[in-house]
Each structure stands twice: as structure tokens, then as C-alpha cells.
């Protein structure tokens, strides 16, 4: 949000970097979004300021996001026990934890199983998670802002299809990204239709009609899930 409204202003770029750095501290998987965030900074800054803002953004993210590594070093919990000649006391290890998580297999939870659970609960959401993202990815070659939001969702899909463990709740962070992609895709299609009939009010009415059709579906779905639990 800060980057989108920045209009090349350094304060907003730095605020965006701080927000993203906090996201990294809250969950390390946000590392997947770094390329897309850098693209966002490139997209929303002028050519004159682009190099400086990219440098400021990258430095702020690295400085803030790497503080948990610094904390591990200060506590002597970066490397596993025995990796250093003087380290013989059992302790937690940041490196060992990441390594063990990376080696987890789909026997603990697979993408196919999680996909099946979510499609049985909300088929519309899962359909949108693919269809609208692909739509925005294609249209994004002409509208870079749609390419940006498509790449945000694709970045998270990389985590899900990587081949490791995927539990059902791993898909939850995908929901806001799907919502943004769906809103943009629907708005784009309605814009095309309104141009055909040359009446902007039709666009608003069509969007309201889609929302009106989706809301009862979601309410019914929520009731079904609540009853099952």
C-alpha cells in the first residue's frame, strides 16, 4: 500500500520497506515476495529516482529483516551444536531449524490433500485462486499493475507447489491475494463490457450483480462448514 501511493516519495518507500521487514520477522516465508516487492518499487517510482529508491528499499528490508539473525548470533544460537570448536553445549539453532523444516516431506501434509479439503469447503475461492491470477498475468503484459498483483499470488503459490509439506492452513494467506486478483479481474472484464454498451453505470451494476451472487454462496458455505464442525 505504501509503495502504491508513494508517487516516488522516499518516505513512503521506506515505510513500505519497514512494513515488509516486519513481515519477514513475523514469518520467514515472506522472503518469497522480495523479487515482486522490488518490482513494485521499480513500477511506482520515476526513472530519475529509481536507483536511489531501490537501494533505500533493499537496505531497509535487509537491515530490519536480518535482526533475527543478529539475535541468534548474539545468543549463540545460529549454528548447530558442535559446529564451532568451543561449542559443546546443547542449544537451539536457527540454521538447524530452517534445515529441518526444508527437509519435511509431504507425508506430513500434501498440496493435493489440502487442495481437496479447500475445494470441498469453498470451490469458488480455489477456482478464483487460479483463474483470476492467470487472467491478470496475461492482461498484465499490457497493464503492469495487474501483472504486479498476479506475481504476488504466484509468489505464494511457489511455496505451495515446492514439493514440501503443505498443511491446510498454509493456504489461508492466499485468500487476500486471491481477493485482490479477483477484484481486479472482475473490474477489468466489466470495464470491457461497459465500453461495448458505452454506459459506465452498467459496469457498476454488473459488479454489484456479481457481488450479490457471491454473498449468498459464501453465507451458505459458512453455514455448512459451521454445521460440520
Amino acid at each position: 500500500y505504501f509503495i502504491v501511493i508513494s508517487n516516488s516519495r522516499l518516505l513512503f518507500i521506506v515505510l513500505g520497506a519497514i512494513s515488509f521487514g516486519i513481515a519477514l520477522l513475523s514469518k520467514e516465508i515472506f522472503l518469497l515476495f522480495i523479487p515482486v516487492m522490488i518490482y513494485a518499487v521499480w513500477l511506482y517510482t520515476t526513472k530519475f529516482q529509481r536507483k536511489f529508491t531501490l537501494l533505500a528499499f533493499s537496505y531497509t528490508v535487509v537491515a530490519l529483516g536480518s535482526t533475527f539473525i543478529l539475535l541468534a548470533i548474539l545468543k549463540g544460537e545460529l549454528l548447530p551444536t558442535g559446529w564451532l570448536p568451543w561449542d559443546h553445549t546443547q542449544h537451539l539453532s536457527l540454521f538447524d531449524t530452517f534445515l529441518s523444516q526444508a527437509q519435511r516431506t509431504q507425508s506430513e501434509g500434501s498440496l493435493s490433500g489440502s487442495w481437496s479439503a479447500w475445494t470441498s469447503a469453498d470451490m469458488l475461492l480455489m477456482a478464483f485462486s487460479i483463474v483470476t491470477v492467470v487472467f491478470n498475468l496475461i492482461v498484465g503484459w499490457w497493464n503492469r499493475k495487474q501483472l504486479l498483483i498476479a506475481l504476488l499470488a504466484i509468489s505464494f503459490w511457489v511455496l505451495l507447489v515446492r514439493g514440501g509439506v503443505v498443511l491446510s492452513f498454509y493456504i489461508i494467506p492466499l485468500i487476500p491475494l486471491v481477493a485482490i486478483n479477483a477484484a481486479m479481474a472482475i473490474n477489468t472484464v466489466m470495464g470491457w463490457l461497459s465500453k461495448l454498451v458505452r454506459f459506465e453505470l452498467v459496469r457498476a451494476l454488473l459488479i454489484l450483480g456479481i457481488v450479490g451472487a457471491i454473498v449468498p454462496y459464501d453465507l451458505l458455505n459458512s453455514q455448512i462448514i459451521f454445521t460440520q464442525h
Side-chain angles (χ1 to χ4, degrees):
Y1 171 76
F2 282 124
I3 293 172
V4 169
I5 69 169
S6 66
N7 195 24
S8 273
R9 289 173 290 182
L10 184 60
L11 173 62
F12 287 87
I13 297 296
V14 172
L15 287 174
I18 292 173
S19 301
F20 187 62
I22 294 173
L24 291 177
L25 294 177
S26 66
K27 194 65 175 176
E28 67 277 1
I29 61 170
F30 280 95
L31 285 168
L32 293 169
F33 291 93
I34 287 180
V36 183
M37 297 302 295
I38 291 176
Y39 174 64
V41 175
W42 179 88
L43 185 64
Y44 285 97
T45 53
T46 61
K47 186 177 181 180
F48 176 73
Q49 296 175 299
R50 191 163 289 154
K51 290 183 179 179
F52 183 75
T53 52
L54 285 171
L55 180 62
F57 178 84
S58 301
Y59 175 81
T60 305
V61 169
V62 171
L64 184 58
S66 62
T67 52
F68 74 99
I69 299 178
L70 175 61
L71 181 62
I73 293 173
L74 294 176
K75 296 180 65 177
E77 296 179 352
L78 178 64
L79 300 176
T81 304
W83 279 40
L84 298 175
W86 58 85
D87 184 14
H88 303 291
T89 305
Q90 289 293 329
H91 58 76
L92 296 174
S93 167
L94 180 65
F95 181 81
D96 199 31
T97 299
F98 284 160
L99 187 62
S100 62
Q101 288 185 349
Q103 293 175 342
R104 296 166 67 188
T105 64
Q106 291 200 354
S107 59
E108 301 177 48
S110 65
L111 175 59
S112 60
S114 299
W115 176 268
S116 177
W118 276 87
T119 50
S120 62
D122 197 335
M123 174 62 77
L124 185 62
L125 171 67
M126 302 314 294
F128 275 13
S129 70
I130 295 179
V131 175
T132 60
V133 173
V134 172
F135 176 85
N136 287 324
L137 184 64
I138 296 173
V139 177
W141 292 110
W142 295 274
N143 185 340
R144 297 305 182 187
K145 295 178 182 178
Q146 284 183 251
L147 176 62
L148 172 63
I149 62 173
L151 291 176
L152 283 171
I154 290 172
S155 297
F156 195 81
W157 268 113
V158 169
L159 172 69
L160 300 177
V161 302
R162 74 193 188 285
V165 59
V166 177
L167 303 175
S168 293
F169 66 85
Y170 282 18
I171 297 178
I172 292 176
L174 189 63
I175 294 176
L177 300 178
V178 173
I180 295 172
N181 274 274
M184 183 65 79
I186 292 172
N187 183 64
T188 301
V189 173
M190 295 302 103
W192 293 344
L193 292 177
S194 66
K195 288 180 180 179
L196 290 176
V197 296
R198 299 183 182 278
F199 193 31
E200 190 65 23
L201 180 60
V202 174
R203 179 182 187 178
L205 292 175
L206 288 172
I207 292 176
L208 288 174
I210 292 175
V211 173
I214 292 176
V215 168
Y217 166 82
D218 284 337
L219 290 175
L220 177 62
N221 219 31
S222 299
Q223 291 175 355
I224 294 173
I225 295 172
F226 179 78
T227 304
Q228 290 174 345
H229 288 278

